[in-house]
């Protein structure tokens, strides 16, 4: 829809007004904006009758007949109408109970009877029973239907469809449902009886050509686009591309199918419409009509759709009285400010090594300060020199010094390598006791991150142009100081503003607000110790059952399963490298400065940190590193990753098992690193993100008082986003999400704060304000292991969704205020 509306705008002939659900749900239709052409369709929670009443009141040109959308919500009505116009459908009969006889408004019943000569009145749907007369046969009156057959709920919104198989086929039922991840159905062998809890349609099962079904999309009576997809009946596994969309292939329609398409669009009054076809034995049958549906990701289709809609609108304008005077648009709710906190785009795996030293050469790296020191670029020579002095004087453990020197030799020349030196003082006399060195490398922005950032910027531009184009006239960008974060901000902002040249002052780097903070160091160390105990089989520490996900019975055993898998995969990797003469040939193209040597080095480090350490010393943060590396390699090095971890005995199943288990444990452990209990999450969140929260509140207040709309974007890293997200979910705001309901805040995660404004009308200067919260988990797909990827090595960013209804701005600011959140955290701590 976004693409089509933006293409329509470019002609300069139309102004797009998005009603918004604040208007749709809360305002009387008399207060809805006036429009000449209406694009409207039913979805969950949409007040269809209200929209129908609006069309009757204002009489816009409606692209789709809203009254007829009531028919599409009942499969019985749809099938009876299809029969009346000669559209082929599978042979069927209906089990009809008295509780759910279809009931359309009398006015619509009369209209259908007069125009289509079809009677859909309730009395034409007598109660009829359907019985299983033997294990393979159902009977309706004198009619019999043999298995396999299809059982469909009569509601068009219920997608829980069952296919029953005969005894000769092994019996059982395949249960189809709306896609969940990469599944669209599952087979249940023990089920044989049909459902008896309501009205159902029973259809003859058809073996389709090429195990595919066809999705058809109409735009008017004379154009239809069709795509094939793997039938969900096959195995229930959804094939997806790099954008997370189901893999489909364009297919031409026969003349018979084109005529079917014309009849469906015309008969139901749906200019933009989708329906499902089955092809079998040289004929085509319609099995469902879905109403409003668009093709995704096809520019040719978008161009054709715009061409047809524009023509329809201009033709209608010639014969219609345009714009009946009514309430001013100024009195409607409008988006006044758009604020969004974003995580950076895709990066290479972050790696680190920790050392603790007490000798003078390393203490001198602090240069007399009592704060953490960060050394980069040429400053890394100071660390090498300190290491050499310690080796020469035998001041520290020789093995640790050699390990540090090796890392510095290999990684100092990589962009982004840095050494953090953290002082540790004796608690009694406050004297400097030791220094911890943390060497970090990796974490560099990838070409996949560039694609994601550019795509998100372009889509955000399209959204804001449609909703309120004035939002693009006042933009401020804030970024942390990290290279990958700044790069994300620059590329996304270029796309947002549709320019390659950004003013030097547009992006403000604010370390205090968006960089890491040590303010919650003590609290996070305490949480880390608890997580270590939870993962330690020798510790009696247990979590309450409600803290554990379904797939993890006890965390320490689940971790051991991962360790056992890694031990096997280590042997497989080493054996494959030993037997392969030239491992570089396995994968022709390497990106992100990667190579087989670096791949192995990274994984050998992971093997060592999981398999070769005492369980009592295992660091929970290593779970994130493992999952991080798996995701990265499945995106950027899939060919090599799948081959190097494959074996004749296991094939590629071990890699798939490792991904599934690593993700499950990551989803459980990673969010807990920022607090296990509510009080901890709030306390750590406030200590880490207080400056960001204050800036958000100040910017919302300033936007309220500003005479024009504005956009504010804040780019940061994962830890900051998690802390802010915890505050939003736990500070008392009435959100639709609960803490723990989101599994991962992936690259380009967004938390949005959308300020809406409306004048009180009648020339009054008084205005109302509401805030709505949105969220996107970013470029995330839980089924990454099953995706088909292209050379972009980039996942699409998930659309934003609302996580709150509209909240009074004053109420929202009260909850978001740093002082309120701190007080809540303090009261929870006292109660604990």
């Amino acid at each position: 829809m976004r693409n089509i509306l933006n293409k329509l705008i470019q002609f300069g002939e139309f102004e797009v007004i998005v009603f918004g659900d604040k208007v749709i749900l809360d305002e009387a239709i008399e207060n809805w904006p006036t429009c000449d052409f209406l694009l409207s369709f039913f979805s969950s929670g949409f007040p269809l009758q209200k929209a129908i009443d609006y069309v009757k009141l204002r009489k816009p040109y409606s692209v789709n007949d809203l009254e007829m959308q009531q028919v599409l919500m009942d499969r019985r009505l749809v099938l009876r109408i299809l029969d009346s116009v000669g559209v082929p459908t599978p042979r069927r009969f209906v089990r009809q109970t008295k509780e759910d006889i279809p009931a359309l408004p009398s006015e619509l019943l009369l209209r259908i009877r007069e125009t289509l000569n079809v009677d859909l009145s309730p009395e034409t749907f007598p109660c009829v029973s359907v019985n299983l007369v033997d294990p393979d046969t159902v009977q309706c009156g004198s009619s019999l239907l043999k298995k396999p057959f299809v059982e469909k709920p009569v509601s068009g919104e219920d997608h829980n469809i069952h296919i029953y198989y005969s005894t000769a086929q092994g019996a059982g039922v395949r249960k189809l449902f709306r896609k969940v991840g990469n599944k669209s159905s599952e087979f249940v062998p023990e089920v044989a009886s049909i459902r008896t809890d309501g009205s159902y349609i029973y259809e003859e099962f058809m073996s389709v050509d090429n195990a595919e079904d066809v999705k058809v999309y109409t735009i008017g009576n004379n154009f239809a686009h069709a795509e094939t997809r793997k039938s969900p009946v096959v195995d229930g596994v959804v094939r997806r591309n790099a954008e997370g969309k189901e893999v489909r292939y364009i297919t031409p329609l026969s003349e018979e199918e084109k005529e079917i398409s014309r009849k469906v669009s015309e008969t139901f009054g749906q200019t933009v419409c989708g329906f499902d076809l089955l092809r079998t034995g040289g004929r085509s049958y319609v099995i469902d009509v879905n109403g409003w549906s668009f093709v995704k990701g096809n520019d040719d289709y978008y161009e054709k759709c715009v061409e047809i809609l524009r023509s329809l609108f201009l033709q209608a304008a010639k014969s219609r009285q345009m714009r009946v005077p009514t309430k001013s648009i100024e009195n409607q709710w409008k988006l006044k400010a758009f604020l969004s906190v974003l995580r950076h785009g895709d990066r290479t795996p972050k790696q680190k090594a920790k050392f603790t030293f007490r000798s003078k050469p390393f203490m001198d790296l602090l240069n007399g300060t009592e704060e953490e020191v960060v050394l980069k670029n040429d400053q890394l020579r100071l660390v090498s020199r300190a290491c050499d002095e310690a080796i020469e004087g035998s001041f520290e453990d020789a093995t640790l010094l050699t390990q540090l020197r090796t890392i510095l030799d290999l990684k100092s020349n990589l962009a982004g390598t840095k050494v953090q030196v953290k002082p540790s003082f004796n608690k009694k006399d406050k004297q400097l006791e030791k220094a911890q060195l943390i060497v970090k490398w990796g974490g560099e922005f990838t070409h996949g991150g560039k694609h994601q950032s550019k795509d998100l910027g372009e889509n955000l531009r399209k959204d804001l142009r449609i909703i309120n184009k004035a939002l693009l006239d006042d933009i401020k960008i804030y970024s942390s100081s990290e290279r990958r974060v700044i790069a994300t901000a620059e590329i996304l902002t270029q796309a947002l503003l549709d320019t390659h040249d950004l003013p030097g002052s547009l992006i403000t780097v604010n370390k205090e607000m968006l960089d890491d903070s040590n303010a919650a160091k003590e609290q996070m160390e305490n949480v880390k110790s608890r997580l270590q105990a939870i993962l330690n089989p020798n510790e009696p520490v247990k979590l309450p059952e409600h803290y554990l996900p379904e797939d993890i019975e006890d965390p320490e055993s689940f971790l051991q399963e991962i360790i056992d898998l890694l031990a096997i995969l280590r042997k497989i990797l080493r054996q494959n490298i030993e037997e392969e003469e030239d491992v570089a040939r396995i994968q022709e193209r390497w990106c992100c400065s990667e190579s087989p040597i670096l791949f192995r080095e990274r994984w050998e480090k992971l093997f060592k940190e999981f398999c070769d350490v005492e369980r009592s010393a295992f660091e929970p943060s290593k779970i994130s590193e493992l999952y991080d590396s798996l995701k990265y390699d499945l995106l950027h090095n899939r060919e090599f990753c799948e081959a190097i971890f494959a074996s004749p005995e296991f094939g590629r199943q071990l890699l798939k098992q490792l991904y599934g288990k690593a993700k499950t444990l990551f989803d459980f452990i990673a969010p807990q690193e920022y607090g296990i209990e509510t009080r901890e999450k709030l306390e750590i969140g406030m200590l880490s993100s207080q400056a960001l929260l204050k800036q958000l509140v100040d910017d919302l207040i300033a936007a309220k008082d500003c005479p024009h709309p504005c956009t504010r974007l804040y780019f940061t890293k994962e830890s900051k986003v998690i802390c802010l997200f915890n505050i939003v979910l736990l500070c008392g705001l009435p959100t639709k999400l609960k803490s723990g309901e989101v599994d991962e805040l992936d690259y380009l995660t967004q938390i949005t704060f959308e300020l809406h404004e409306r004048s009180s009308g009648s020339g009054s200067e008084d205005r109302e304000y509401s805030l709505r919260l949105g969220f996107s988990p970013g470029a995330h797909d839980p089924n990454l292991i099953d995706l088909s990827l292209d050379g972009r090595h980039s996942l699409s960013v998930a659309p934003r969704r609302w996580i709150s209804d509209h909240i009074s701005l004053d109420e929202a600011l009260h909850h978001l205020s740093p002082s309120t959140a701190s007080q809540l955290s303090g009261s929870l701590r006292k109660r604990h």
Side-chain angles (χ1 to χ4, degrees):
M1 175 70 85
R2 167 201 295 141
N3 289 288
I4 290 166
L5 290 178
N6 270 276
K7 288 179 184 294
L8 272 173
I9 292 172
Q10 289 174 2
F11 286 100
E13 299 161 330
F14 309 101
E15 177 187 1
V16 173
I17 301 169
V18 178
F19 286 21
D21 47 8
K22 176 70 172 167
V23 171
I24 293 170
L25 296 175
D26 297 345
E27 295 287 340
I29 59 170
E30 290 78 11
N31 294 330
W32 286 15
T34 302
C35 64
D36 299 315
F37 313 104
L38 180 69
L39 287 84
S40 178
F41 49 92
F42 175 79
S43 61
S44 179
F46 179 76
L48 181 58
Q49 186 57 52
K50 204 171 178 183
I52 292 170
D53 293 340
Y54 170 80
V55 171
K56 290 178 179 177
L57 175 68
R58 300 298 183 204
K59 297 180 173 52
Y61 175 90
S62 188
V63 173
N64 279 18
D65 188 327
L66 295 186
E67 283 192 299
M68 286 298 287
Q69 287 187 25
Q70 297 172 98
V71 174
L72 299 179
M73 296 167 71
D74 192 308
R75 289 189 173 98
R76 295 166 296 188
L77 306 180
V78 169
L79 289 168
R80 190 176 287 189
I81 289 176
L82 290 174
D83 290 343
S84 74
V85 294
V87 171
T89 60
R91 186 170 72 90
R92 68 182 183 279
F93 44 70
V94 179
R95 179 181 190 270
Q96 179 64 61
T97 64
K98 62 181 179 181
E99 289 80 15
D100 52 12
I101 293 172
L104 293 174
S106 56
E107 184 180 342
L108 180 57
L109 286 172
L110 178 61
R111 177 184 152 196
I112 292 171
R113 189 180 299 122
E114 291 177 348
T115 57
L116 300 175
N117 195 28
V118 181
D119 188 356
L120 299 179
S121 56
E123 53 269 21
T124 65
F125 292 89
C127 293
V128 178
S129 62
V130 173
N131 302 303
L132 198 64
V133 295
D134 64 48
D136 287 342
T137 312
V138 288
Q139 183 176 19
C140 178
S142 59
S143 300
L144 298 176
L145 189 61
K146 291 280 188 181
K147 292 183 180 178
F149 55 71
V150 182
E151 177 189 69
K152 296 180 179 179
V154 295
S155 170
E157 294 299 298
D158 189 340
H159 296 267
N160 295 296
I161 296 170
H162 290 184
I163 299 171
Y164 296 87
Y165 295 98
S166 66
T167 306
Q169 293 172 305
V173 61
R174 179 161 289 280
K175 296 183 176 182
L176 280 59
F177 41 76
R178 274 198 183 277
K179 292 186 282 286
V180 178
N182 68 332
K183 287 189 68 177
S184 60
S185 72
E186 62 181 359
F187 182 73
V188 183
E190 61 270 15
V191 175
S193 298
I194 60 175
R195 289 176 282 184
T196 58
D197 57 345
S199 298
Y200 289 93
I201 298 167
Y202 293 86
E203 290 181 350
E204 178 183 6
F205 177 80
M206 294 184 164
S207 295
V208 295
D209 300 343
N210 304 316
E212 295 175 330
D213 56 15
V214 183
K215 308 287 287 187
V216 183
Y217 303 86
T218 73
I219 312 170
N221 300 339
N222 300 313
F223 176 81
H225 171 94
E227 299 176 342
T228 60
R229 65 166 187 178
K230 186 177 77 171
S231 172
V233 174
V234 177
D235 57 12
V237 177
V238 180
R239 292 183 298 192
R240 296 187 181 276
N241 59 22
E243 296 179 337
K245 298 183 176 70
E246 187 175 27
V247 174
R248 296 181 178 183
Y249 301 95
I250 296 173
T251 182
L253 293 175
S254 67
E255 291 304 315
E256 178 197 9
E257 290 169 338
K258 290 177 183 176
E259 178 61 15
I260 290 173
S261 174
R262 184 192 66 77
K263 286 182 177 179
V264 168
S265 176
E266 189 175 87
T267 301
F268 293 101
Q270 307 298 301
T271 301
V272 179
C273 183
F275 64 95
D276 300 334
L277 274 180
L278 297 182
R279 289 170 169 168
T280 179
R283 292 207 64 192
S284 297
Y285 300 83
V286 174
I287 57 169
D288 228 341
V289 179
N290 313 122
W292 187 280
S293 296
F294 274 126
V295 177
K296 298 178 179 66
N298 186 306
D299 284 335
D300 291 339
Y301 169 85
Y302 295 148
E303 294 290 349
K304 193 66 179 178
C305 188
V306 169
E307 176 189 328
I308 294 172
L309 288 178
R310 177 173 177 260
S311 176
L312 288 173
F313 293 161
L314 295 179
Q315 189 64 36
K318 294 177 181 178
S319 57
R320 295 172 62 85
Q321 178 79 33
M322 294 289 104
R323 292 194 180 255
V324 178
T326 184
K327 274 189 166 293
S328 166
I329 294 174
E330 292 302 315
N331 295 331
Q332 310 305 323
W333 285 98
K334 296 186 71 172
L335 184 59
K336 178 72 180 296
F338 179 84
L339 281 63
S340 183
V341 178
L342 303 97
R343 186 186 172 190
H344 58 76
D346 182 57
R347 56 159 172 75
T348 61
K350 291 193 298 182
Q351 298 183 78
K352 63 184 176 184
K354 294 182 179 180
F355 304 89
T356 300
F357 298 120
R358 298 174 183 270
S359 58
K360 185 176 183 299
F362 293 107
M363 298 295 197
D364 287 347
L365 293 174
L366 290 165
N367 202 26
T369 68
E370 296 184 357
E371 301 293 330
E372 174 185 315
V373 171
V374 179
L375 303 172
K376 302 177 183 179
N377 304 321
D378 291 342
Q379 295 172 323
L380 296 174
R381 294 176 186 171
L382 300 175
V383 186
S384 298
R385 190 181 305 152
C387 191
D388 291 340
E389 288 180 30
I391 291 172
E392 186 177 341
S394 301
F395 298 146
E396 305 279 358
D397 182 281
T399 303
L400 291 177
L401 291 171
T402 302
Q403 186 181 352
L404 173 59
R405 196 68 176 84
T406 302
I407 291 173
L408 290 170
D409 289 343
L410 292 173
K411 307 301 178 186
S412 290
N413 63 332
L414 297 179
T417 298
K418 63 183 179 182
V419 175
Q420 293 171 268
V421 188
K422 298 183 177 182
S424 181
F425 298 92
N426 187 292
K427 291 184 178 179
K428 292 182 179 179
D429 58 17
K430 308 297 182 183
Q431 292 297 307
L432 181 61
E433 195 171 59
K434 56 188 175 182
Q436 183 185 49
L437 268 70
I438 306 175
V439 187
K440 294 184 176 180
W441 65 97
E444 290 301 299
F445 201 47
T446 70
H447 63 109
K450 293 175 183 176
H451 288 303
Q452 292 166 345
S453 303
K454 182 174 182 289
D455 290 348
L456 180 57
E458 289 175 348
N459 288 334
L460 182 56
R461 176 178 176 79
K462 292 173 183 176
D463 287 347
L464 297 183
R465 284 183 67 199
I466 293 168
I467 297 169
N468 185 355
K469 60 185 179 182
L471 289 162
L472 294 168
D473 296 334
D474 178 3
I475 295 178
K476 288 185 180 178
I477 312 293
Y478 300 93
S479 172
S480 77
S481 64
E482 292 184 302
R483 291 154 50 94
R484 60 181 175 271
V485 181
I486 294 173
T488 302
E490 288 175 344
I491 292 171
L492 188 147
T493 306
Q494 287 172 350
L496 176 63
L497 298 179
D498 194 21
T499 181
H500 293 293
D501 301 316
L502 296 179
S505 60
L506 181 60
I507 299 177
T508 301
V509 173
N510 189 317
K511 293 183 179 182
E512 180 188 3
M513 180 169 65
L514 298 168
D515 272 20
D516 267 336
S517 165
N518 287 323
K521 180 182 177 182
E522 181 181 344
Q523 290 80 359
M524 290 188 68
E525 286 294 330
N526 290 336
V527 170
K528 176 184 171 182
S529 297
R530 292 174 64 196
L531 290 174
Q532 276 185 307
I534 290 164
L535 294 170
N536 186 353
N538 303 316
E539 289 277 356
V541 177
K542 297 288 182 184
L543 278 174
E545 284 189 10
H546 67 274
Y547 275 80
L548 294 172
E550 290 182 6
D551 296 333
I552 299 180
E553 199 167 312
D554 62 286
E556 67 271 16
S557 299
F558 197 86
L559 174 59
Q560 187 59 49
E561 292 174 16
I562 290 176
I563 292 171
D564 294 342
L565 272 174
L566 285 168
I568 300 171
L569 286 167
R570 173 159 62 177
K571 292 179 182 178
I572 292 172
L573 177 140
R574 290 175 176 177
Q575 183 175 347
N576 285 340
I577 288 177
E578 185 178 326
E579 293 176 354
E580 180 64 48
E581 291 182 6
D582 184 5
V583 292
R585 292 186 306 181
I586 294 174
Q587 179 172 295
E588 290 184 10
R589 180 186 172 215
W590 291 82
C591 61
C592 309
S593 303
E594 189 80 342
S595 70
I597 294 173
L598 292 176
F599 179 98
R600 181 177 183 179
E601 176 193 282
R602 180 159 39 84
W603 277 95
E604 289 287 2
K605 180 175 179 289
L606 285 168
F607 293 144
K608 182 178 180 181
E609 291 166 342
F610 273 82
C611 304
D612 300 342
V613 298
E614 289 292 329
R615 285 292 300 274
S616 58
F618 179 81
E619 288 196 33
S621 62
K622 298 302 172 186
I623 294 164
S624 296
E625 289 186 30
L626 171 63
Y627 180 58
D628 200 28
S629 272
L630 270 169
K631 276 191 359 178
Y632 172 79
D633 285 325
L634 288 172
L635 276 172
H636 297 279
N637 302 318
R638 177 171 294 230
E639 191 177 358
F640 189 84
C641 185
E642 290 183 342
I644 211 70
F645 286 128
S647 71
E649 181 180 358
F650 299 107
R652 299 178 179 179
Q653 285 306 304
L654 292 184
L655 180 64
K656 194 165 186 176
Q657 287 179 35
L658 179 64
Y659 173 78
K661 289 182 180 296
K663 173 163 178 53
T664 299
L665 194 57
F666 170 85
D667 290 342
F668 167 60
I669 291 293
Q672 316 277 6
E673 292 183 277
Y674 301 89
I676 296 173
E677 298 165 8
T678 297
R679 64 177 181 85
E680 294 171 325
K681 292 179 187 292
L682 266 175
E683 184 178 12
I684 291 172
M686 279 307 306
L687 289 171
S688 300
S689 301
Q690 189 161 6
L692 173 57
L693 192 63
K694 182 179 183 303
Q695 184 71 47
L696 286 166
V697 169
D698 288 348
D699 284 349
L700 285 170
I701 294 171
K704 172 190 172 185
D705 297 332
C706 184
H708 55 262
C710 64
T711 295
R712 303 289 182 261
L713 304 180
Y714 317 79
F715 293 86
T716 186
K717 60 190 300 184
E718 180 184 26
S719 58
K720 217 68 156 182
V721 173
I722 290 175
C723 288
L724 178 65
F725 198 50
N726 283 340
I727 293 171
V728 167
L729 296 184
L730 299 172
C731 70
L733 284 169
T735 58
K736 298 177 181 179
L737 272 179
K738 302 299 180 185
S739 181
E741 289 183 354
V742 177
D743 59 354
E744 186 176 349
L745 304 186
D746 219 320
Y747 302 123
L748 288 170
T749 287
Q750 302 145 70
I751 305 171
T752 62
F753 304 80
E754 303 189 16
L755 176 63
H756 294 257
E757 176 188 67
R758 182 180 70 168
S759 68
S760 299
S762 303
S764 170
E765 293 185 2
D766 293 338
R767 295 184 177 273
E768 299 175 69
Y769 295 93
S770 74
L771 188 71
R772 198 164 194 199
L773 305 174
F775 167 73
S776 164
H780 179 62
D781 193 304
N783 307 294
L784 175 60
I785 192 86
D786 295 316
L787 293 186
S788 301
L789 299 168
D790 58 22
R792 287 161 53 104
H793 296 167
S794 168
L795 297 179
S796 289
V797 176
R800 297 187 307 280
R801 59 187 172 111
W802 300 119
I803 60 171
S804 79
D805 292 323
H806 284 266
I807 309 165
S808 157
L809 179 61
D810 289 340
E811 178 189 353
L813 291 176
H814 168 73
H815 289 297
L816 288 171
S817 164
S819 59
T820 302
S822 293
Q823 288 170 9
L824 178 58
S825 171
S827 65
L828 288 171
R829 188 165 58 251
K830 289 176 184 176
R831 199 182 310 159
H832 179 77

